[in-house]
Amino acid sequence: MAVACSERGHTFYSKGHNNLMTLPSLKKVALGLTFSALACNASAGPVPAQRAAELQQQPNIVIIFTDDMGWGDVGYHGFDDIKTPNIDKLAANGAHFPQAYVSESVCGPSRSGMLTGVYQQRMGIYGNSSENHIPHDQPLAMEIVKDQGYATAVIGKWHLGDPTGKPNERGADFFYGFLGGSHDYFRSQTVDTGKLLLAPIYRNDEVVPPIQEQNGYLTEMFTDEAVGFIERSVKKDKSFFLYLAHLAVHHPWQVPESYVERLKDLPVKEGIAGEERRHFAGMVLALDDSIGQVMDTLKEQGVYDNTLIVFMSDNGTPAGQGFAQPRRKKRNETTMSSPGPFNGFKGTNYEGGIRVPFAMQWPGVIPAGLKYEPMVSALDIVPTIASLFEGTNTGIFPFDGTNLLPYLLGEKPADAIPHETLYWRRNEEYAIRDGDWKLTFNRSHGPQTIRLFNMAKDPGEWDDLVSREPGKAQELKDKFDAWEAGLPVNRLSHRPTNRNFDYDKGHRVNVKEFNRNTP
């Protein structure tokens, strides 16, 4: 059974014990920072002196970024109609974050924010555009660690915009994958004919033979390349950074039948909904196998204990899913990916579009079984990595994310949290989460009004409080507009008609009047 014990407002889980464990502190280790940690498992104990010496070396870093994986698509969130044993182990052996957010609800902007630690809107990135541009004087994660002598690899999906440059131009020693936003899992071409799903697969700057000629499946091919990169790096005695950006579990819904066959006893609904969930679960299982192979390779190569592993999805569940019509789903109608108990989908700033699975493991440093409750962001990943090095170049924009390690290791005061406020803006949609309150507007996903929710009492966003809490709604609207007033205009699409461009001149959008005048 799992026994929970609390410290500093966080929850630790110790499997297989029937009594509460004490929380011995981990020995401080030097990595340019001083760390102390708390563990629930009595066997964790202090870190031996030789272990501390090992941890003074640069840790290897693996970021596994999945695609369109909903909050309800991992077992460790309590769902039994999906099988993710390796992802669950990763969460159990480190920390997981039930209130983890991405910086946007679609792929390209979310990746831009994660890989820089900066709100992508500061760079003029608001949507999925081939013209998105992360400036060269705003370093990506690969460029930051490359300056520290790391071997670096990008494997999988890029999708950062043509002006950003290709992976080998942005800090990757090795690249294997495709440049766009989606792809067929079984087929590719060797020339770019404009067919997105059949775009060439690259090894660095060279196009590889078509997937179908290799009898390949894209998830497995990315896994093989990740394993090979780890093995080569260890052989060269190099600290390594791997950004494994899987396309899974993004559409198209393709998976070898062998994975689905392994799930024949999966408890799913009757009928087409259940069969569609089982098929999707096969795609997830292939992804989970991949993560298991990466973990096994780290162990086989003797570097598992000195590797920081981050697992996260780029956004939440897509509304468009399934083989049977209607494919565009509504709340509680999903048949493949699931937002769990939350409202909304990919492309919205409701929780289903922006709250995602997130886990982080670093054996001997991050306490195993830590369920960290306060809200965190994908923007925190790069600042956490950069904190390991002195004098990191953060670029023209300072980090909007926060180094999570002091929070996870108990070095912050009990009431300290990484973020009091988070912001979102894409096209007409926007949101602000401020403490337990969330204000959001989702024009294309209705209703056409500004809405207010109390996330502590109503994380499912059922009860709109905007008319009962007008003062709080106006406070959050003003705070959002003040933040947005400092952002550049979106050059790549029509300016949002609901942006308060004159906030800094004293203009205020009255929430009550806006909603009253909305049809």
Side-chain angles (χ1 to χ4, degrees):
M1 63 179 292
V3 178
C5 51
S6 296
E7 179 73 15
R8 294 183 180 271
H10 317 323
T11 305
F12 297 77
Y13 291 98
S14 176
K15 292 186 176 180
H17 297 282
N18 294 318
N19 59 314
L20 282 173
M21 297 291 136
T22 59
L23 294 166
S25 60
L26 292 175
K27 197 167 186 177
K28 291 181 179 179
V29 296
L31 279 168
L33 293 172
T34 300
F35 300 150
S36 65
L38 298 168
C40 183
N41 192 335
S43 65
V47 178
Q50 66 269 23
R51 178 77 184 109
E54 292 173 3
L55 290 173
Q56 293 180 32
Q57 303 172 14
Q58 290 181 330
N60 305 301
I61 301 164
V62 176
I63 297 176
I64 302 170
F65 214 50
T66 65
D67 203 328
D68 286 10
M69 193 173 196
W71 200 89
D73 294 336
V74 291
Y76 73 83
H77 278 163
F79 298 93
D80 64 359
D81 63 346
I82 203 82
K83 293 297 181 185
T84 55
N86 292 299
I87 296 172
D88 297 348
K89 286 179 186 176
L90 195 157
N93 292 333
H96 69 279
F97 308 87
Q99 293 196 83
Y101 291 98
V102 286
S103 61
E104 197 45 87
S105 61
V106 293
C107 307
S110 174
R111 291 160 195 272
S112 299
M114 187 278 287
L115 286 171
T116 59
V118 173
Y119 278 115
Q120 66 278 356
Q121 295 93 339
R122 299 196 191 282
M123 299 173 280
I125 298 172
Y126 290 84
N128 283 332
S129 171
S130 61
E131 297 304 311
N132 282 344
H133 180 206
I134 300 175
H136 282 258
D137 46 9
Q138 187 63 49
L140 303 177
M142 295 76 72
E143 295 170 303
I144 289 173
V145 298
K146 190 175 178 67
D147 287 345
Q148 304 296 328
Y150 277 66
T152 58
V154 173
I155 296 173
K157 172 176 171 175
W158 185 236
H159 204 208
L160 295 183
D162 296 339
T164 296
K166 296 178 180 179
N168 295 116
E169 300 168 337
R170 297 306 301 262
D173 295 321
F174 176 73
F175 170 57
Y176 184 92
F178 61 98
L179 301 174
S182 186
H183 207 283
D184 194 284
Y185 287 84
F186 289 110
R187 299 179 300 155
S188 65
Q189 296 176 338
T190 55
V191 294
D192 190 349
T193 62
K195 294 182 179 179
L196 177 67
L197 295 182
L198 299 178
I201 304 295
Y202 291 91
R203 176 176 280 108
N204 297 317
D205 289 327
E206 300 294 325
V207 176
V208 304
I211 299 172
Q212 61 272 24
E213 291 185 8
Q214 304 180 60
N215 294 318
Y217 179 60
L218 206 53
T219 302
E220 296 173 342
M221 294 169 72
F222 290 159
T223 304
D224 292 342
E225 295 295 335
V227 167
F229 170 75
I230 294 170
E231 292 174 343
R232 294 192 301 273
S233 299
V234 173
K235 186 175 182 179
K236 295 176 182 177
D237 198 25
K238 291 273 288 184
S239 296
F240 59 84
F241 171 93
L242 168 61
Y243 172 43
L244 178 53
H246 272 294
L247 174 63
V249 286
H250 193 288
H251 178 270
W253 316 116
Q254 299 171 334
V255 64
E257 186 60 32
S258 58
Y259 290 103
V260 180
E261 178 63 24
R262 286 165 55 188
L263 298 170
K264 59 184 179 181
D265 296 325
L266 193 71
V268 295
K269 301 175 184 176
E270 293 293 329
I272 186 65
E275 290 310 306
E276 289 183 351
R277 178 65 166 174
R278 194 190 314 277
H279 183 93
F280 175 81
M283 295 182 69
V284 174
L285 186 61
L287 171 68
D288 189 81
D289 278 4
S290 168
I291 294 170
Q293 286 182 252
V294 169
M295 306 284 271
D296 288 345
T297 302
L298 295 172
K299 293 175 182 178
E300 292 164 1
Q301 296 297 313
V303 295
Y304 176 82
D305 286 343
N306 196 35
T307 301
L308 169 63
I309 304 171
V310 177
F311 165 82
M312 197 174 201
S313 177
D314 68 343
N315 52 248
T317 292
Q321 56 178 273
F323 300 115
Q325 295 289 352
R327 291 198 176 97
R328 187 168 182 82
K329 309 303 182 186
K330 298 179 181 179
R331 187 170 190 156
N332 296 326
E333 292 181 352
T334 58
T335 60
M336 285 186 162
S337 179
S338 169
F342 302 118
N343 184 34
F345 297 94
K346 172 183 178 178
T348 78
N349 289 317
Y350 292 121
E351 296 293 284
I354 56 177
R355 192 189 291 208
V356 297
F358 180 24
M360 184 181 296
Q361 175 188 303
W362 189 358
V365 178
I366 296 175
L370 171 59
K371 182 181 181 181
Y372 186 76
E373 301 280 358
M375 67 177 179
V376 297
S377 171
L379 299 173
D380 300 332
I381 293 173
V382 169
T384 299
I385 292 169
S387 73
L388 306 177
F389 316 113
E390 295 181 1
T392 298
N393 172 23
T394 60
I396 56 176
F397 299 106
F399 289 141
D400 290 305
T402 300
N403 172 19
L404 293 178
L405 289 174
Y407 297 92
L408 303 181
L409 306 182
E411 291 195 329
K412 290 287 186 178
D415 58 351
I417 56 176
H419 299 278
E420 182 64 33
T421 310
L422 292 173
Y423 305 89
W424 294 266
R425 161 66 86 174
R426 186 184 74 89
N427 299 331
E428 303 294 317
E429 279 73 27
Y430 63 81
I432 174 175
R433 168 97 190 252
D434 190 65
D436 288 336
W437 293 94
K438 180 181 176 185
L439 188 85
T440 185
F441 179 84
N442 291 276
R443 172 161 290 170
S444 59
H445 298 85
Q448 306 289 296
T449 55
I450 298 171
R451 310 183 77 194
L452 178 70
F453 302 98
N454 185 307
M455 303 308 295
K457 299 177 180 179
D458 179 28
E461 298 173 302
W462 293 94
D463 189 15
D464 180 7
L465 301 173
V466 70
S467 61
R468 282 167 279 168
E469 296 281 353
K472 177 58 69 174
Q474 191 62 52
E475 175 190 335
L476 264 62
K477 176 58 177 169
D478 291 346
K479 190 168 186 176
F480 175 83
D481 286 354
W483 172 77
E484 189 174 42
L487 300 177
V489 172
N490 182 1
R491 299 173 292 101
L492 303 177
S493 67
H494 296 296
R495 296 187 303 179
T497 58
N498 59 345
R499 177 166 175 174
N500 183 3
F501 290 97
D502 294 326
Y503 177 86
D504 55 355
K505 298 176 182 177
H507 180 260
R508 300 294 180 266
V509 174
N510 186 291
V511 173
K512 188 175 182 179
E513 289 184 6
F514 180 93
N515 284 350
R516 184 167 58 238
N517 295 328
T518 298

